[in-house]
Amino acid sequence: MSTPTNDPAIIAEELILLDADLGESKDGVISRLSETLAAAGRATEAEWLRDAALAREAQSATGLPGGIAIPHCRADVVTSASLGFARLNPKVDFGAPDGPADLVFLIAAPTGAGSAHMKLLSSLARALVKPEFVASLRAAATPADIVALVDGVINPAPKAAPAAAPAASTVPASETAPATPEPAATTADAPKHIVAVTACPTGIAHTYMAADSLVAAGERAGVTVHVETQGSSGSTPLDPSVIASAEAVIFATDVGVKGKERFAGKPVVSSGVKRAINEPDVMVTEALRASYDPNAARVSGTAASTDGSSSGAGELGWGTRIRQILLTGVSYMIPFVAAGGLLIALGFLLGGYEISGVAEDIVVNNSITSLPDGGLTAYLGAVLFQIGALSFSFLVPALAGYISYAIADRPGLAPGFTAGAVAVLVGAGFIGGLVGGLIAGFVALWISKWRIPTVLRGLMPVVIIPLFATLIVGGIMFLVLGKPLAAITSGLTDWLNGLSGSSVVILGIILGLMMCFDLGGPVNKAAYAFATAGLSVTDTASLRIMAAVMAAGMVPPLALALASALRPKIFTEAERENGKAAWFLGAAFISEGAIPFAAADPLRVIPSMMAGGAVTGALIMATDVTLSAPHGGIFVFFAIGKLVWFLVALAAGTIVSALLVVFAKQFVKGKNAPTEEALDPDVVAA
């Protein structure tokens, strides 16, 4: 990638359309700007550039308050970072909260764009929060005027040093922002500052616009805002001393915050990145008020957003929060499942399936000098099985403990683990762990809000919260919920063991569909957690479910690897490279190997994968294939019962999905689908 000084200027007169009538659809505006960039030699294929921009648009609208839109993307066909600009008449809706846009910048960057280019593009994004710059764009008479205006903000002339440095901030703010009265909550003698993190999915525009909006709002409120922009041009972490002395923190992000633990304990206001652009003054005021409130939400994992003080546009709803809480528990549970399950499978390999009944007695009562029947191999098998079984015994407590942790942070761990242990003791199993973890977390969170004497507050996280939360959730599990949840678990186990014929095939189809729906997402994880929870029982029905889940999860990457090999011209060069890696990922049961394909073309790829997964799941269940290992794919062949049928089912689903995705890409043309010729590198080069 060459440097900006060697590439063409980011904006030029031939890339500008003034007072243009481009129809009533943003698709049409993006398409025309893509054609303009391609005609100027900034992209090798207009349709491909258009598709990339529309794919980004589908993630979240790029319309901004004030009649502005900034569709943007990175694509292989872009030859140099470029800006296409259209001043529209009539306006077109880009999803902004205050109406349609008349000023549209198409920001196009090469896939490997360096940080220097990204910084230039982010400078434009920052200028768009300045009212005088936007007014100048509307008043410009010629394309040359637009070029001069944009060049002035992305390549500003050096300024003389000011006589006195203004209050420190991490990003420049608008010089013409109107003054507003300081919020009542901010009145104090000592100067105040807050810290913020902004981040959007692509990190090109919204990240930096949100940063400048917050800084400008802070200046209007009489408070310094230090912003860490976690964007494409890199991130300079905030100084730990700045974080330590901050009054509060703002998270304006659409993606996870990197290094979130640095802000632990700080009052927090959380939202999506667009709220920081639309309502920066409100967010700064909320942060300042939270700094005075001892009961305000504080940074503590997912619990940081549970308080109402951070509500607002872009804030997560309770459904999403509960899903994230449950997935936190599952994600921390999986290492216990993987380690324990694989060790159990190795124990079976060395000692045979009968080792499960005598493993504890062999390990405890025998030594290396007094070997059991079967010799050293059987002894090692018993040791591996027993270690795996002990690891597996933490499955439900870890699930419950980290569900509680996701709600109440560290004070929730002890009551959560206890709730999981009680669930195991009373026979409530996996379901009991889910319910107990939720109860433990919310009880711990409730206790953390108790008003107690200041002298005792230091005891809250280590004594008071764990003690009372454990007492309450333990009592509820033992006295109220234990037997009903155990009955549900027992009934579910009996039902699974009683399945036969068409019923078991339908279950296999459902599990196959779930495994291929979101490729490592919540639905996939739900099916996987359901299967691994049954491994602790080790009955036939549970082992068949595990086999169906693993085999179906292997289908998407293998199918896309096969499809990209059979019909390479309908895939991009990057997808063909991903296809080569997907062979191994699929064989190892890493469903995420299909994500690059699904993200680029979800409407044609995901249904094709689900069809193949359903075929594989149905065949696995119909042929009574079993699997006693929770992970590893084909590499744990020794743990697969009826290996030949496992391979047949896997091959059938893979072939079905591969053929369907090839058919869909060739004959099911969406309105944004690139043609085969557009994807052929030889045609593109021509």
Side-chain angles (χ1 to χ4, degrees), residues 457-478:
R457 290 203 66 85
L459 297 176
M460 284 289 282
V462 294
V463 177
I464 296 174
I465 297 174
L467 172 63
F468 286 98
T470 299
L471 178 63
I472 292 171
V473 71
I476 291 174
M477 291 296 292
F478 268 124

Side-chain angles (χ1 to χ4, degrees), residues 66-88:
I68 303 166
I70 48 168
H72 52 276
C73 67
R74 284 175 286 185
D76 293 338
V77 296
V78 179
T79 58
S80 63
S82 302
L83 295 174
F85 174 75
R87 190 169 66 197
L88 303 177

Side-chain angles (χ1 to χ4, degrees), residues 197-203 207 230 251-258 271-273:
V197 175
T198 60
C200 67
T202 50
T207 298
Q230 297 182 352
F251 290 148
T253 66
D254 292 332
V255 293
V257 177
K258 300 174 185 176
S271 79
V273 69

Side-chain angles (χ1 to χ4, degrees), residues 168-179:
S169 64
T170 58
V171 287
S174 170
E175 297 176 357
T176 61

Side-chain angles (χ1 to χ4, degrees), residues 248-272:
V249 58
I250 293 173
F251 290 148
T253 66
D254 292 332
V255 293
V257 177
K258 300 174 185 176
K260 189 175 182 179
E261 66 280 357
R262 296 171 294 157
F263 306 91
K266 291 292 180 184
V268 65
V269 174
S270 301
S271 79

Side-chain angles (χ1 to χ4, degrees), residues 30-223:
I30 292 174
S31 180
R32 177 64 183 279
L33 285 172
S34 299
E35 293 169 358
T36 302
L37 265 62
R42 304 304 184 98
T44 55
E45 177 58 54
E47 290 185 0
W48 204 355
L49 174 58
R50 174 203 66 192
D51 294 336
L54 290 175
R56 168 60 187 87
E57 196 76 20
Q59 295 179 23
S60 62
T62 57
L64 303 171
I68 303 166
I70 48 168
H72 52 276
C73 67
R74 284 175 286 185
D76 293 338
V77 296
V78 179
T79 58
S80 63
S82 302
L83 295 174
F85 174 75
R87 190 169 66 197
L88 303 177
N89 186 15
K91 298 180 179 181
V92 173
D93 185 13
F94 275 78
D98 60 345
D102 62 334
L103 302 178
V104 180
F105 281 97
L106 174 60
I107 305 175
T111 299
S115 61
H117 275 128
M118 292 295 97
K119 288 177 180 176
L120 293 179
L121 296 177
S122 67
S123 297
L124 170 67
R126 288 172 163 174
L128 290 173
V129 303
K130 299 180 179 180
E132 74 278 9
F133 177 70
V134 174
S136 298
L137 291 176
R138 290 196 171 98
T142 66
D145 295 336
I146 299 292
V147 171
L149 286 167
V150 174
D151 189 62
V153 297
I154 62 176
N155 295 302
K159 294 182 179 180
S169 64
T170 58
V171 287
S174 170
E175 297 176 357
T176 61
T180 58
E182 182 179 0
T186 69
T187 56
D189 295 333
K192 297 183 181 297
H193 75 270
I194 60 178
V195 291
V197 175
T198 60
C200 67
T202 50
I204 290 179
H206 292 79
T207 298
Y208 304 98
M209 299 180 71
D212 274 319
S213 295
L214 289 172
V215 169
E219 290 182 348
R220 293 192 291 272
V223 60

Side-chain angles (χ1 to χ4, degrees), residues 631-657:
H631 217 292
I634 199 62
F635 301 104
V636 291
F637 61 89
F638 54 84
I640 300 173
K642 298 188 177 181
L643 177 61
V644 172
W645 277 112
F646 181 92
L647 295 175
V648 168
L650 179 61
T654 298
I655 292 170
V656 167
S657 285

